[in-house]
Amino acid sequence: MKTLAMSAVIAGLLASASAMAQPAANEKHANWAAKVRKANFTLLGHNMGPIGGMLKGRAKFDAQTVAEKATMINYLANMIADTSKVDTSKFKVETEALDKIWKDKADYAKKVQALIDASQKVKEIALTAPESEVMKAMGKMGKTCGDCHDSYKMD
């Protein structure tokens, strides 16, 4: 119940943060915002890597590593709204983000919330649930990443 209430609070914060998205004031601001956003996603990828390796059978399942990485992913996922609040679409910045992030804010927020929820689930069960259940939850978490990439990231 506590997790559900927290998810509702986070969803509200995400919605309000994306509603507050503001255009970059100038090119320097846009470049800085893109750099910060990219750093958050780079760290997400860094933490997802070992989980992906386990899912693909390239690495042996390690519940402790899963718990640690899911915890970091959850922290970073909770930062996405903040690191994506500056609309950089009016400037030429180095980014893989599609402008759709700022045009379809509700869907973007929904996809971010899905990652928050999925990473929270993995974090909670990693050390206590059977490996097969943890692997299934890890797969769902990975799918939330892919769903967002499919909609909001350049190939």
Side-chain angles (χ1 to χ4, degrees):
M1 186 69 165
K2 186 178 179 182
T3 302
L4 188 58
M6 185 58 128
S7 289
V9 169
I10 291 169
L13 290 172
L14 277 171
S16 63
S18 24
M20 293 187 301
Q22 54 194 355
N26 54 46
E27 191 166 350
K28 183 177 179 179
H29 183 217
N31 281 313
W32 176 252
K35 183 177 179 178
V36 170
R37 186 175 63 240
K38 184 177 181 177
N40 192 47
F41 285 113
T42 297
L43 289 170
L44 276 162
H46 168 75
N47 284 283
M48 192 62 186
I51 288 176
M54 289 179 219
L55 285 168
K56 293 174 183 170
R58 293 185 194 143
K60 186 175 187 267
F61 178 81
D62 178 356
Q64 185 63 45
T65 298
V66 172
E68 291 168 5
K69 296 302 181 182
T71 297
M72 294 307 297
I73 290 166
N74 189 257
Y75 288 143
L76 293 161
N78 276 289
M79 294 173 59
I80 294 172
D82 184 53
T83 61
S84 298
K85 69 182 178 184
V86 176
D87 179 346
T88 59
S89 63
K90 300 279 188 259
F91 297 93
K92 279 219 177 253
V93 296
E94 188 176 319
T95 183
E96 294 178 358
L98 297 174
D99 293 347
K100 289 171 34 177
I101 286 174
W102 299 282
K103 292 180 177 133
D104 197 350
K105 297 172 193 172
D107 184 62
Y108 183 64
K110 181 179 168 185
K111 285 178 173 30
V112 170
Q113 186 61 48
L115 175 58
I116 291 168
D117 294 344
S119 59
Q120 180 67 36
K121 169 82 173 178
V122 174
K123 179 174 105 167
E124 289 173 358
I125 69 169
L127 298 174
T128 58
E131 180 180 330
S132 61
E133 190 177 326
V134 177
M135 291 288 281
K136 184 177 178 181
M138 289 163 45
K140 287 182 180 178
M141 181 175 66
K143 184 177 179 338
T144 65
C145 290
D147 288 346
C148 199
H149 286 200
D150 290 347
S151 298
Y152 299 107
K153 184 180 178 199
M154 282 187 244
D155 290 330

